[in-house]
Amino acid sequence: MNYDFLVDIAKSYDCKILLNEPMCKHTSFKIGGSADVFLFVNSLRALKKILLYIFDNQIPYYVLGNGCNLLVPDEGFRGVILKLSGDFLKISLVKEDIISCKSGVKLSELCRFAAKHSLSGLEFAWGIPATVGGAVFMNAGAYDGEIKNVLISCVHVDDNLKEVTLNKDELVNFGYRTSVYSTNKNIITTAVFKLKISNRNEIQRKMDTLFNRRKDKQPMDYPSAGSIFKRPTGYFVGKLIDDCGLRGTSIGGAKISDKHSGFIVNTGGATCEDVVNLINLAKNRVLKNSGVALDTEIKILKN
């Protein structure tokens, strides 16, 4: 596939572009072959122009968040990876309890911004390694908190290259690790959150407490993509896998974590195939042992 004209478009908008870029550099798993094109999109005008070319030429593409919930094939991705940067990294206080945040901002930065302005409601998200766009896309949550509980509106670019705003009553289909954006190709550009004014020290104390709980229970010493499986109703994934005797099991460089069996870690040199084989092993053993069908939480990028 010839990307010369796309490269010219990117350069005309001062967007950084990388060719044959190893995706292992851009995912928390540190796994994945090269993408044909890796493009940092720095403005809405650039995004629309680039998407127009992609749509017209039917080029496969994927919008990358923080790469923390993604497994990229060993053979890479034959298409364009879009990474929102520049204008998409802005955050502002709209009212004393309302924050407007561009989708490329890291969720940790949003949490820090909220705490700085004595706004409570995002403490649960402290430590979730996602961008704001990715967090909305998957309705990120932890410790009884979810993005949907504080989100009041979203702006996205649809497949007609139009900007559309969805208010809270239009943001339907939020569920466990899913949202209205999970079933379409709309690209989130802005998210607006309504929080509660509170004591800054108490907010920071809660953030620290939840982060320490996360650090105590989750493996952070090796690259991973977070929880591999969604939590089945009425069960804990870690226990289901433990009951099959799979804690610590390895295939190649991929290993079911000794610390938490719901995680697969890259102990060094793990391939996508290693991880997929380990996922399938856990699925099959758990289904046979307990009758519970596990569903993956991570996304496996496909060509």
Side-chain angles (χ1 to χ4, degrees):
M1 192 175 295
N2 191 319
Y3 296 104
D4 289 348
F5 193 68
L6 180 62
V7 170
D8 290 340
I9 293 172
K11 288 181 178 178
S12 71
Y13 284 93
D14 294 323
C15 295
K16 182 180 178 181
I17 188 165
L18 303 171
L19 302 179
N20 299 314
E21 176 68 2
M23 288 301 293
C24 59
K25 294 182 178 181
H26 302 280
T27 64
S28 59
F29 235 146
K30 305 301 180 188
I31 292 172
S34 297
D36 288 345
V37 178
F38 193 102
L39 213 166
F40 293 87
V41 186
N42 59 19
S43 69
L44 183 62
R45 287 182 64 223
L47 176 63
K48 289 184 176 183
K49 192 70 174 181
I50 289 164
L51 286 175
L52 178 62
Y53 183 79
I54 285 174
F55 294 163
D56 285 348
N57 291 275
Q58 299 182 315
I59 299 173
Y61 72 98
Y62 181 78
V63 181
L64 180 71
N66 211 31
C68 60
N69 200 40
L70 185 67
L71 182 59
V72 179
D74 301 316
E75 62 269 23
F77 182 66
R78 304 285 70 81
V80 179
I81 300 293
L82 302 177
K83 176 76 173 176
L84 300 185
S85 60
D87 292 347
F88 297 105
L89 302 179
K90 296 178 179 179
I91 182 170
S92 60
L93 193 65
V94 178
K95 294 182 180 179
E96 63 177 2
D97 60 348
I98 295 179
I99 297 174
S100 177
C101 188
K102 295 298 182 181
S103 58
V105 173
K106 290 184 179 180
L107 194 55
S108 58
E109 292 182 25
L110 173 61
C111 292
R112 276 195 291 264
F113 185 90
K116 178 183 176 181
H117 290 87
S118 302
L119 293 175
S120 175
L122 281 165
E123 292 89 337
F124 74 89
W126 181 239
I128 296 177
T131 59
V132 169
V136 172
F137 180 90
M138 67 175 293
N139 186 30
Y143 304 115
D144 300 321
E146 293 178 288
I147 286 293
K148 70 174 184 178
N149 297 334
V150 289
L151 183 71
I152 59 171
S153 69
C154 259
V155 182
H156 66 255
V157 173
D158 67 14
D159 53 9
N160 292 312
L161 303 180
K162 293 182 179 179
E163 282 186 275
V164 178
T165 299
L166 295 182
N167 295 316
K168 191 170 182 65
D169 58 348
E170 298 172 299
L171 287 165
V172 295
N173 297 333
F174 273 116
Y176 177 63
R177 302 300 179 264
T178 188
S179 73
V180 65
Y181 293 106
S182 303
T183 56
N184 59 49
K185 289 194 171 184
N186 296 333
I187 298 176
I188 302 165
T189 57
T190 306
V192 181
F193 302 91
K194 184 174 176 60
L195 305 172
K196 294 180 180 179
I197 299 173
S198 186
N199 180 274
R200 185 184 303 179
N201 291 332
E202 289 182 7
I203 293 170
Q204 188 62 55
R205 187 157 43 247
K206 185 175 181 181
M207 288 168 62
D208 292 341
T209 297
L210 294 181
F211 182 78
N212 287 332
R213 284 174 62 185
R214 186 187 303 274
K215 188 168 63 172
D216 289 341
K217 293 182 178 181
Q218 299 180 6
M220 294 185 174
D221 47 347
Y222 290 106
S224 78
S227 300
I228 290 291
F229 301 105
K230 296 178 181 178
R231 184 191 300 171
T233 303
Y235 298 91
F236 291 101
V237 172
K239 186 177 187 309
L240 289 171
I241 295 175
D242 280 346
D243 290 345
C244 298
L246 291 177
R247 181 184 288 258
T249 299
S250 297
I251 293 180
K255 180 180 181 181
I256 294 176
S257 171
D258 291 309
K259 193 170 187 179
H260 190 311
S261 296
F263 289 70
I264 291 176
V265 297
N266 179 0
T267 61
T271 65
C272 178
E273 185 179 6
D274 292 338
V275 176
V276 170
N277 287 339
L278 202 49
I279 287 172
N280 290 335
L281 174 64
K283 279 184 172 182
N284 294 335
R285 289 279 187 89
V286 168
L287 184 61
K288 183 177 180 179
N289 188 62
S290 64
V292 177
L294 295 180
D295 185 21
T296 51
E297 182 172 316
I298 64 168
K299 178 178 178 60
I300 301 175
L301 190 61
K302 297 179 180 179
N303 283 293

